[in-house]
Amino acid sequence: MPEMISLEEARALVLAQVKALPAETVPVLEAVGRVAAADLRSDIDIAPFAHSAMDGFALRAEEIAQASADAPVELDVVAEIAAGDVFEGSIEAGQCVRIMTGAPVPDAADSVVKYEIVDVVTGDGKAGSRVAFAAPTAVRSNVRDAGEEARAGEVVVGCGEVIGTAGVGFLAGCGIVEVPTHRKPRVAVIAIGSELVPPTEVPGPGKIRNSNSYALAACVQAAGGVPVVLPIVEDTHEALAAAVRAAAADYDFVVTSGGASNGDFDFIKPVVEELGQLLMTTVNMRPGKAQTFGLVDGTPVFGLPGNPAAAYVGFEMIVRPALRKMQGFSRFERPVVKARLAHDAKKKDPRRIFLRSTLSKDADGAYVATPAKNQSSGLFGPIQRSNCMVVLPEGLESRTAGSLVECVLLDVNEEVVL
């Protein structure tokens, strides 16, 4: 049976056994937050024509090159161009045209002067008016040139790039309304335990509600996967083997909770070993030492502990990175910051400890981490109220209030660089 390994070894082992799923084509709006599975190219120049960056007057810069506050230059307004209109007339010496934001800049003009700094001498500033300029302007000032952002055929979103909300608009502007992106993994979530009943039932003597399946399904969904909660499996080798075999055949990834230790009714390790290849059984971390991982018919199967905090930490640190890799992401670790401990943290276990904690800032703007008072691995509440996990490294060295510690941020995704 595999020996206990470090968290880094466990993560690397699991990542080595998964790969990005095949691409599927989705509407561009559904691609937000997902990874492009191919280079995406614009079908036109962006912008397709030179246009005005603001409301103002289009003219030749040389016309007002000598303008000053003491000697303003006056020009006649000969036309008005609204967004969507095209002006194909000429602009002669002593003339300009009123132009709106987004409207095409006439070929006869090379600059736009914003409306607010132009004085209206006669009329209302529209065609037939006369306006005065009290300062010169630079050539191409306030003009957004054709192809400024992209040229036809140019890659606008590269393969492997995460598509953001602005990227959706960019792609739409480039004529790309369907996007190839790596398929989301379908993840089977199985709770193991004869003591479990569905959340819809009031537990009888010796029974508890199945909450782990819902927490883990939520974790899968938050990681970008598609969770499917399967029926509760009783504590027998035969029942678990049948459930794991069926799930491995139908899903991209299987996550179980419970039955991961070495008790008389803990069967996930022997089941994985019997059905496929057992690659991992324990990780040097707390909570979550018992972490089973292997392959069944080529499908990754991960057995998490039954205690909520142990299952949650195992998922965050090992399973979530694997699900992200299957979606084509290249960043697998949550951001980490350093903070001062709000109070002492005693250490009696040599494993790496993850303390469910709250990160805040003090009056000086420095990070302060406050571990939850109750660190029992059987509780959901402290996790719900935490936004980070304080990391106490391997060894028996305790930390005192004010010590600098690393904090894994739970409410910031892996793409954020701090």
Side-chain angles (χ1 to χ4, degrees):
M1 186 172 291
E3 297 180 354
M4 184 164 66
I5 59 177
S6 70
L7 174 58
E8 288 74 19
E9 290 172 318
R11 186 185 293 124
L13 187 156
V14 175
L15 287 174
Q17 299 299 324
V18 300
K19 60 183 179 180
L21 294 173
E24 63 178 359
T25 301
V26 301
V28 65
L29 190 57
E30 294 180 17
V32 65
R34 298 177 68 175
V35 179
D39 288 341
L40 304 176
R41 302 174 185 273
S42 181
D43 63 345
I44 59 172
D45 288 347
I46 302 294
F49 51 83
H51 61 280
S52 178
M54 57 184 60
D55 292 351
F57 296 91
L59 44 74
R60 288 188 296 276
E62 64 181 21
E63 287 286 325
I64 61 171
Q66 304 305 316
S68 67
D70 296 330
V73 174
E74 296 185 2
L75 300 178
D76 292 322
V77 182
V78 296
E80 184 176 11
I81 314 171
D85 291 343
V86 177
F87 176 74
E88 296 179 339
S90 61
I91 301 176
E92 305 297 336
Q95 297 179 341
C96 64
V97 297
R98 175 78 183 278
I99 191 168
M100 303 298 129
T101 303
V105 175
D107 291 340
D110 59 19
S111 184
V112 173
V113 180
K114 65 179 180 179
Y115 184 83
E116 289 81 2
I117 63 172
V118 178
D119 292 326
V120 177
V121 180
T122 62
D124 57 5
K126 299 180 181 180
S129 301
R130 190 169 178 81
V131 293
F133 300 83
T137 185
V139 173
R140 311 313 289 173
S141 177
N142 299 317
V143 176
R144 292 176 178 155
D145 287 312
E148 179 181 60
E149 189 162 28
R151 292 290 184 182
E154 183 180 338
V155 174
V156 293
V157 172
C159 181
E161 189 173 341
V162 180
I163 300 168
T165 51
V168 169
F170 192 16
L171 292 172
C174 293
I176 300 168
V177 294
E178 292 189 327
V179 177
T181 181
H182 296 286
R183 182 169 60 78
K184 294 184 175 185
R186 295 179 69 247
V187 181
V189 179
I190 302 173
I192 305 167
S194 299
E195 77 281 11
L196 301 176
V197 297
T200 52
E201 292 185 19
V202 176
K207 302 292 185 180
I208 59 172
R209 284 180 168 135
N210 172 24
S211 53
N212 268 2
S213 283
Y214 291 84
L216 292 174
C219 287
V220 169
Q221 188 166 293
V226 180
V228 179
V229 176
L230 298 183
I232 297 166
V233 176
E234 63 181 8
D235 286 316
T236 69
H237 185 105
E238 295 74 20
L240 183 57
V244 169
R245 184 186 294 110
D250 292 339
Y251 296 90
D252 301 306
F253 202 104
V254 180
V255 176
T256 69
S257 65
S261 295
N262 297 311
D264 292 343
F265 298 98
D266 294 327
F267 296 115
I268 188 60
K269 284 183 284 197
V271 162
V272 172
E273 190 167 34
E274 173 189 300
L275 298 180
Q277 184 180 10
L278 181 64
L279 301 173
M280 180 177 81
T281 58
T282 51
V283 180
N284 193 13
M285 58 189 284
R286 179 178 179 179
K289 174 183 175 181
Q291 306 277 347
T292 298
F293 176 70
L295 302 175
V296 174
D297 295 331
T299 300
V301 176
F302 205 104
L304 292 164
N307 281 324
Y312 177 82
V313 175
F315 186 99
E316 273 289 325
M317 305 310 294
I318 307 174
V319 179
R320 180 181 168 95
L323 297 184
R324 284 179 59 82
K325 183 176 180 180
M326 296 173 82
Q327 297 167 79
F329 290 99
S330 57
R331 294 179 181 270
F332 306 127
E333 296 182 36
R334 296 273 201 181
V336 173
V337 299
K338 290 190 175 181
R340 298 288 178 183
L341 269 177
H343 54 72
D344 294 350
K346 294 184 178 180
K347 198 164 189 290
K348 299 179 180 180
D349 189 318
R351 288 176 285 170
R352 188 180 310 180
I353 307 285
F354 291 90
L355 301 176
R356 281 71 72 202
S357 309
T358 302
L359 187 70
S360 58
K361 287 187 176 181
D362 63 18
D364 297 323
Y367 284 126
V368 177
T370 306
K373 290 182 179 179
N374 193 335
Q375 291 289 329
S376 169
S377 62
L379 303 180
F380 272 123
I383 308 172
Q384 163 63 21
R385 292 183 286 272
S386 296
N387 60 6
C388 75
M389 293 189 294
V390 166
V391 183
L392 301 182
E394 291 84 349
L396 293 172
E397 183 182 351
S398 297
R399 299 294 189 273
T400 56
S403 297
L404 201 61
V405 292
E406 288 192 341
C407 301
V408 179
L409 303 184
L410 299 174
D411 55 356
V412 180
N413 75 35
E414 291 83 348
E415 304 306 314
V416 176
V417 178
L418 298 178

